Amino acid sequence: MSDQRRTSSRTCVTKKTSLPTVTQNVRKTANKSRKINHQTSSDTNSATRRHESPDIQNSTKRTRLDSVNSNKLNHKKQKDVSYNDDTDDKIDRCAICLDDCTEPKQLDKCTHIFCTACIDQYFETVKPQCPCCFTIYGEIRGNQPLNGTMTIDTSKHRLPGFEHDSRGTIRIVYHFPNGIQDESHPNPGTPYHGTTRTAYLPENREGRHVLSLLQKAFELQQIFTVGQSRTTGYDNVITWNDIHHKTNVNGGMENFGYPDKTYLNRVKQELAAKGIK
């Protein structure tokens, strides 16, 4: 009997001591879990702060730098503009010698200013034309050979496109015999081959006006020159000098013929560029 009570009391003591141990272990585990969760949360927040703050700072720095650079650039542009305005007002430079004008001379039509010696020599040795805007002063004479002829006749045949706006056709025949190149030509002393060219105009008011301009250009030796032919490639020959002619009656613009509604206006512009109006 005494043995049974002792055994029972031991068992009770064991049970009493085991409950607090389990509770403590549970509390410890919960506390440990809370600590881990708290630490994880704080680590995440700190990592977020570390990643976000540099971007914000860099963005702010970039914005400030951009605004500073933009201000500096605008300030520099203003300086350049004001400098150029000042220099343009104070200094006249000659477009021929690229230096300050000595004894400045202002052209009466276009008002460009050059050194007197520079522009006088340019007009005498090159051509009487402003080198800046190409305004013509006086007559421009070309290097067309002097032994050529220009003959004119008419026919009742009407050109395509002018059937109802003309009385017929104007025919121009240019003839140049063989000759020797002079100092104004590419190869002085070298023979050149002559040529015969035929051109056509409508016989109406505008066609006769273009004819008078072509006659003046011929007198100023501007219609032909000596050089390399653009069509055959031959050198040392008589060739056109940038005043286009209609050398065929038919065929349209592609074949240097008619119809071509814009030809008469174009050729007048080409003649005006050489000072013939």
Side-chain angles (χ1 to χ4, degrees):
M1 196 68 183
S2 61
D3 294 335
Q4 289 177 357
R5 289 177 180 174
R6 289 173 184 169
T7 303
S8 169
S9 64
R10 287 196 201 95
T11 303
C12 291
V13 170
T14 303
K15 287 181 181 178
K16 287 179 181 178
T17 55
S18 63
L19 287 172
T21 303
V22 173
T23 302
Q24 290 175 2
N25 290 336
V26 171
R27 288 177 179 174
K28 287 181 180 179
T29 302
N31 292 332
K32 186 175 182 181
S33 178
R34 282 196 295 271
K35 287 181 179 180
I36 292 172
N37 291 335
H38 179 70
Q39 184 176 0
T40 304
S41 177
S42 62
D43 292 340
T44 302
N45 291 334
S46 63
T48 303
R49 286 194 297 272
R50 285 197 301 272
H51 287 291
E52 289 180 352
S53 59
D55 290 341
I56 294 172
Q57 292 175 358
N58 290 336
S59 176
T60 303
K61 288 180 179 179
R62 284 196 298 270
T63 302
R64 289 176 179 173
L65 287 174
D66 291 341
S67 62
V68 170
N69 291 335
S70 177
N71 291 333
K72 286 184 178 180
L73 182 61
N74 291 333
H75 184 61
K76 184 178 180 182
K77 286 181 179 178
Q78 291 175 359
K79 279 188 174 181
D80 291 342
V81 171
S82 62
Y83 175 77
N84 289 336
D85 289 341
D86 292 341
T87 54
D88 288 343
D89 290 339
K90 293 180 180 179
I91 300 175
D92 287 323
R93 289 190 177 277
C94 176
I96 299 175
C97 67
L98 302 179
D99 204 347
D100 296 349
C101 285
T102 56
E103 298 182 7
K105 182 176 183 179
Q106 186 178 48
L107 301 181
D108 55 357
K109 294 181 182 179
C110 63
T111 69
H112 285 116
I113 300 175
F114 307 91
C115 300
T116 299
C118 290
I119 194 62
D120 288 349
Q121 184 179 10
Y122 184 88
F123 277 8
E124 183 179 353
T125 60
V126 182
K127 53 186 173 181
Q129 190 175 34
C130 175
C132 293
C133 64
F134 308 113
T135 299
I136 296 172
Y137 294 85
E139 295 179 340
I140 299 177
R141 187 166 293 274
N143 62 354
Q144 172 183 292
L146 296 173
N147 59 355
T149 60
M150 177 183 181
T151 58
I152 301 158
D153 60 23
T154 60
S155 70
K156 294 183 179 180
H157 174 76
R158 295 174 179 173
L159 296 168
F162 293 94
E163 294 88 350
H164 307 290
D165 187 24
S166 68
R167 291 182 296 178
T169 299
I170 300 171
R171 188 179 70 162
I172 308 169
V173 179
Y174 300 103
H175 175 71
F176 289 87
N178 296 339
I180 303 296
Q181 298 182 49
D182 59 29
E183 296 299 325
S184 65
H185 297 141
N187 301 303
T190 303
Y192 63 82
H193 295 279
T195 188
T196 298
R197 305 284 178 91
T198 303
Y200 303 92
L201 290 170
E203 190 183 0
N204 57 17
R205 183 176 180 180
E206 190 175 13
R208 289 191 295 272
H209 175 61
V210 171
L211 175 62
S212 65
L213 297 177
L214 291 175
Q215 288 174 313
K216 185 176 181 180
F218 188 84
E219 293 172 1
L220 293 174
Q221 303 171 257
Q222 292 185 357
I223 291 182
F224 292 92
T225 186
V226 177
Q228 186 180 43
S229 172
R230 297 178 183 176
T231 55
T232 65
Y234 293 143
D235 205 359
N236 300 314
V237 296
I238 299 286
T239 183
W240 296 109
N241 190 25
D242 297 327
I243 299 175
H244 290 85
H245 287 63
K246 290 294 184 182
T247 55
N248 290 318
V249 173
N250 300 295
M253 185 186 302
E254 296 80 7
N255 296 299
F256 309 104
Y258 293 93
D260 185 352
K261 295 180 179 179
T262 63
Y263 167 66
L264 295 177
N265 285 330
R266 292 202 317 271
V267 72
K268 283 190 289 186
Q269 292 174 1
E270 293 169 353
L271 289 162
K274 294 180 178 293
I276 300 174
K277 299 179 182 180

